[in-house]
Amino acid sequence: MSDHISLQLDWEEVLLRPVTSVLALGAFTMNDGSARWDAVAICVDNAAIVVTVEPDTDQVIVARADPPIAADWVSIPSFDYAIGKKLGWCWIGINSQGYKDSFTVAICGSSSGFIEPHWTFVAVASCLQCFDLTIRRA
């Protein structure tokens, strides 16, 4: 297995910056109702954290890019609650085979500050699935 670098940005550059939108490329819904994407962009100001999957190894790649402007990118309504909240810490998860196949993000706005994980993106069959780790109360 190669030493694949999953986190291809300095997270300090986006830490505590407010989320302006969360966009997806290649969105599709599975038979069980869950969503999967080819890529997800968490936009902050004039930058985006783009999460993709390396198809040969199914490892998650996280890179900084310009915010997407192409019509192929669409908003993900279930992420709207995070707009205006700041990005907290992030984590890269390694599975039992040594592959870096998950990426977790904290969103500030709770009593735990910037260390409470909110989303875990997992590489599944060369696409992304996201698990919401929070219970939002009204």
Side-chain angles (χ1 to χ4, degrees):
M1 176 177 27
S2 66
D3 288 331
H4 198 85
I5 298 179
S6 292
L7 194 60
Q8 299 179 353
L9 73 143
D10 179 358
W11 191 256
E12 294 293 322
E13 293 177 9
V14 296
L15 181 66
L16 300 178
R17 291 181 63 192
V19 174
T20 55
S21 63
V22 181
L23 307 172
L25 180 66
F28 56 98
T29 304
M30 304 301 290
N31 290 339
D32 66 359
S34 64
R36 293 198 182 161
W37 309 278
D38 292 333
V40 171
I42 304 168
C43 301
V44 293
D45 301 326
N46 60 352
I49 297 94
V50 179
V51 186
T52 57
V53 177
E54 204 293 317
D56 291 334
T57 62
D58 271 353
Q59 294 188 90
V60 172
I61 305 296
V62 182
R64 183 178 177 170
D66 291 332
I69 55 172
D72 295 349
W73 288 85
V74 297
S75 178
I76 308 173
S78 60
F79 288 72
D80 284 351
Y81 75 92
I83 293 175
K85 294 185 177 160
K86 296 177 181 178
L87 290 176
W89 286 8
C90 74
W91 298 261
I92 295 290
I94 301 171
N95 70 22
S96 62
Q97 303 303 307
Y99 290 96
K100 298 171 184 91
D101 63 356
S102 68
F103 172 67
T104 302
V105 179
I107 303 294
C108 299
S110 68
S111 60
S112 299
F114 57 91
I115 61 170
E116 181 179 296
H118 277 69
W119 304 318
T120 293
F121 295 93
V122 178
V124 178
S126 296
C127 60
L128 291 169
Q129 186 167 3
C130 184
F131 297 93
D132 187 336
L133 305 176
T134 63
I135 298 174
R136 289 181 296 284
R137 294 178 177 86

